[in-house]
């Protein structure tokens, strides 16, 4: 499917490039935010199909950003798909992500096959 819009919220430039290049090959339209605050600013002016949100970032981390996004959605009626992205792979982290309002969670390094499986739950298909 061409043209899925994605907001990549990630502070590590190498991870940004890796994920950007990988997803661009599949036709994603990607904007990048370096932290949760930048993500909130971008969401003021544009809607995205999927938000890929790093958990640990300076300025505003992914969990705080997710809480803010979910609060805003109560006013707009819009609901974003938010997928947490972290270097930690503990079950407790997944539970925390879901509890804080994320829809799903995946560990780093970014794995396109895992990502495909996750977004398929939300009726997105990429080939």
């Amino acid at each position: 499917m061409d043209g899925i819009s994605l907001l990549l919220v990630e502070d590590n430039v190498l991870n940004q490039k890796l994920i950007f290049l990988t997803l661009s090959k599949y036709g994603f339209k990607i904007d990048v935010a370096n932290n949760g605050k930048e993500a909130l600013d971008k969401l003021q002016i544009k809607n995205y199909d999927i938000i890929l949100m790093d958990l640990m970032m300076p300025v505003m981390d992914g969990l705080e950003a997710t809480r803010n996004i979910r609060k805003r959605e109560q006013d707009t009626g819009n609901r974003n798909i938010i997928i947490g992205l972290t270097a930690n792979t503990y079950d407790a982290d997944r539970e925390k992500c879901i509890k804080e309002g994320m829809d799903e969670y995946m560990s780093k390094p970014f794995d396109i096959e895992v990502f495909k499986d996750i977004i398929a739950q939300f009726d997105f298909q990429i080939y």
Side-chain angles (χ1 to χ4, degrees):
M1 174 183 276
D2 189 49
I4 298 170
S5 64
L6 182 133
L7 177 59
L8 172 59
V9 189
E10 166 68 66
D11 63 318
N12 181 295
V13 176
L14 256 101
N15 287 336
Q16 286 176 359
K17 287 181 180 175
L18 171 75
I19 295 168
F20 188 95
L21 290 171
T22 302
L23 292 178
S24 293
K25 292 177 192 171
Y26 292 91
F28 280 82
K29 307 294 182 227
I30 306 163
D31 287 334
V32 177
N34 295 295
N35 59 60
K37 168 102 176 59
E38 284 184 22
L40 293 175
D41 292 345
K42 288 185 182 293
L43 285 163
Q44 291 277 64
I45 52 176
K46 186 174 176 183
N47 290 320
Y48 296 90
D49 297 313
I50 299 170
I51 300 170
L52 193 53
M53 179 81 71
D54 186 20
L55 295 192
M56 300 182 72
M57 297 175 288
V59 184
M60 181 186 291
D61 69 29
L63 295 174
E64 185 179 349
T66 298
R67 286 191 297 270
N68 278 283
I69 291 166
R70 295 301 185 220
K71 263 187 233 161
R72 285 185 186 180
E73 289 172 348
Q74 291 172 356
D75 297 333
T76 64
N78 236 4
R79 176 142 168 94
N80 292 281
I81 294 169
I82 303 174
I83 301 168
L85 188 60
T86 182
N88 298 330
T89 56
Y90 307 114
D91 286 341
D93 283 339
R94 183 179 188 282
E95 290 171 26
K96 187 192 301 183
C97 289
I98 303 302
K99 183 176 159 255
E100 295 292 344
M102 292 183 175
D103 296 291
E104 195 44 86
Y105 152 104
M106 63 185 290
S107 61
K108 294 177 187 175
F110 183 79
D111 182 326
I112 188 64
E113 296 305 321
V114 171
F115 183 72
K116 284 179 183 179
D117 290 344
I118 288 171
I119 67 170
Q121 300 171 42
F122 305 102
D123 295 325
F124 288 104
Q125 300 285 317
I126 59 174
Y127 306 98

